[in-house]
Amino acid sequence: MPPTSRLARRSLLAAAVLAVAGLATGMASDLPADDPALLSSELKPLAPKALLLDLARTSAGIFAVGERGILLRSTDEGATWQQLVLPTRLLMTSIAAADGDLWVGGHGGQIFRSSDNGETWVRQRIDVWTPDSNDPMAGAPVLDLLFLDGQNGFALGAFSLLLRTRDGGVSWEPVELPEAAPAPEAAAATDGDWTFSAEELELADEADPHLNAMVALPDGTLILAGERGAMFRSRDGGEQWERLEFPYDGSMFGLLAWEDGHVLAYGLRGNAFESFDGGDSWSRLETGGEITLQGGVALPGGGALLVGNEGLLLFRPDAASPLERGTFQTEAGETPVLSGAMALEGRFLLIGEKGVGQHAF
């Protein structure tokens, strides 16, 4: 299996955008005033058609973030969109909401917070990088944010970047994850007649896997997924972490969670795995192909919509139903890479390389 890009979040599309955007070269005080990391985003009439990577909802509406610091808000369930100004022009990869506040993270290791529904933003973090730095994590972009409440949250990203805050993002502290354990001689998957060898499960050549997604289960358990089969769990709110055995050595780009330890991981080459015991064991889901899965949304009763490259849609109304395959097309007949989804009344809001769209099953 070919390795994923060192800055890939979800696919070759995202990797290319990350490479073009570049990284911040210091703290805000060290950067020139015209550095894209510090320049406010430009208002563009076609912003709803730009590359968008993540969604969040608050009582004030639906928010989406993406390339060049684009931040959108809809107060009518996705019918119309207003662009808001974010104090950066770098790619923003994640947005999270908790207790009425919003956080956005992305390139330059930046994290912003808004307490007024996205009207104004405070930069809470920017990565520090110097030409003589020996830190391989220097300049690492934030790839996902998860806030448990208005004070406690996590930021994760490239090169095993994992940070936590206990004060709403005013300060961030690094979190250490356990190193890879020696691979077993053989590992059997939980879905019938296929197995992976010890070599296929070995993570020794990837000491700092990129961390792509974190999810909180209703019982407080946290699951963290990354590249090359890296999967971690915390049962105490993120204080202690354990590495889980995972039956696939490729990247997982997202996680969905329900009650009773029910978790779904999805990612590279159409691979999706499900656990009903909080990550102790996993079974493979039949997705009908090898198109990479980039985003998804959990629905009541174990239902889900997964989205990915080539406009791929995989839908099931409940946990007992198989995934139904579909394709999203724009008005121009394009089948874009999809990066995220949100359930609306009777339909789904979709985002990706061609901006926002909607689809009904």
Side-chain angles (χ1 to χ4, degrees):
M1 176 177 298
T4 54
S5 165
R6 295 296 291 170
L7 291 180
R9 181 190 182 198
R10 292 170 170 152
S11 68
L12 294 178
L13 166 76
V17 174
L18 292 171
V20 171
L23 298 174
T25 55
M27 293 186 296
S29 59
D30 298 331
L31 295 171
D34 61 351
D35 191 285
L38 304 182
L39 293 176
S40 294
S41 57
E42 300 174 286
L43 297 179
K44 298 290 187 179
L46 296 181
K49 298 298 183 182
L51 170 68
L52 300 173
L53 290 179
D54 202 14
L55 289 163
R57 180 194 286 276
T58 73
S59 60
I62 302 171
F63 296 80
V65 292
E67 63 176 319
R68 299 192 304 275
I70 287 177
L71 169 69
L72 303 176
R73 178 177 64 192
S74 175
T75 58
D76 53 11
E77 294 294 281
T80 60
W81 294 87
Q82 171 194 10
Q83 186 181 357
L84 305 176
V85 175
L86 197 64
T88 186
R89 292 185 188 176
L90 296 188
L91 176 70
M92 293 292 103
T93 61
S94 182
I95 183 168
D99 294 346
D101 282 0
L102 287 164
W103 288 264
V104 168
H107 264 223
Q110 295 188 98
I111 300 173
F112 302 91
R113 178 178 179 173
S114 175
S115 297
D116 57 5
N117 300 320
E119 295 292 341
T120 61
W121 294 83
V122 174
R123 180 182 283 105
Q124 295 187 312
R125 182 183 186 271
I126 187 168
D127 182 69
V128 178
W129 183 87
T130 59
D132 58 352
S133 175
N134 293 318
D135 183 2
M137 291 172 58
V142 173
L143 300 181
D144 196 20
L145 294 168
L146 175 68
F147 273 80
L148 306 178
D149 54 46
Q151 297 298 308
N152 297 284
F154 296 86
L156 51 142
F159 311 111
S160 291
L161 176 69
L162 181 58
L163 308 169
R164 74 173 301 167
T165 180
R166 305 172 193 268
D167 53 17
V170 175
S171 62
W172 295 86
E173 61 188 73
V175 177
E176 293 291 330
L177 291 173
E179 296 181 359
E185 293 184 3
T190 59
D191 187 32
D193 57 357
W194 48 279
T195 61
F196 288 110
S197 68
E199 289 75 15
E200 289 173 312
L201 291 172
E202 181 67 62
L203 287 176
D205 62 339
E206 190 64 80
D208 57 347
H210 301 329
L211 304 176
N212 295 322
M214 184 188 293
V215 71
L217 279 66
D219 67 359
T221 298
L222 302 175
I223 304 289
L224 173 58
E227 68 174 344
R228 293 190 58 80
M231 191 74 66
F232 303 89
R233 178 176 64 194
S234 174
R235 296 188 183 275
D236 58 6
E239 299 295 336
Q240 302 291 327
W241 291 87
E242 60 180 320
R243 182 181 287 264
L244 300 177
E245 291 188 15
F246 193 68
Y248 174 60
D249 67 340
S251 297
M252 293 288 101
F253 296 135
L255 294 161
L256 304 179
W258 298 266
E259 296 180 350
D260 301 323
H262 186 185
V263 187
L264 192 157
Y266 56 86
L268 192 66
R269 292 185 173 180
N271 281 281
F273 296 83
E274 199 161 24
S275 174
F276 291 92
D277 51 19
D280 286 333
S281 61
W282 298 86
S283 59
R284 189 175 191 176
L285 285 175
E286 179 55 55
T287 63
E290 294 188 354
I291 297 176
T292 291
L293 299 167
Q294 310 279 11
V297 58
L299 306 174
L305 174 67
L306 304 179
V307 301
N309 295 359
E310 301 178 28
L312 177 63
L313 304 170
L314 295 175
F315 171 75
R316 72 182 189 190
D318 51 58
S321 300
L323 290 167
E324 172 189 343
R325 194 179 182 92
T327 302
F328 170 74
Q329 290 189 342
T330 67
E331 293 180 356
E334 302 166 301
T335 55
V337 174
L338 299 174
S339 58
M342 179 178 289
L344 304 178
E345 184 66 33
R347 64 198 191 285
F348 291 95
L349 177 67
L350 306 174
I351 60 168
E353 66 170 324
K354 297 297 181 180
V356 296
Q358 295 193 23
H359 184 86
F361 280 90

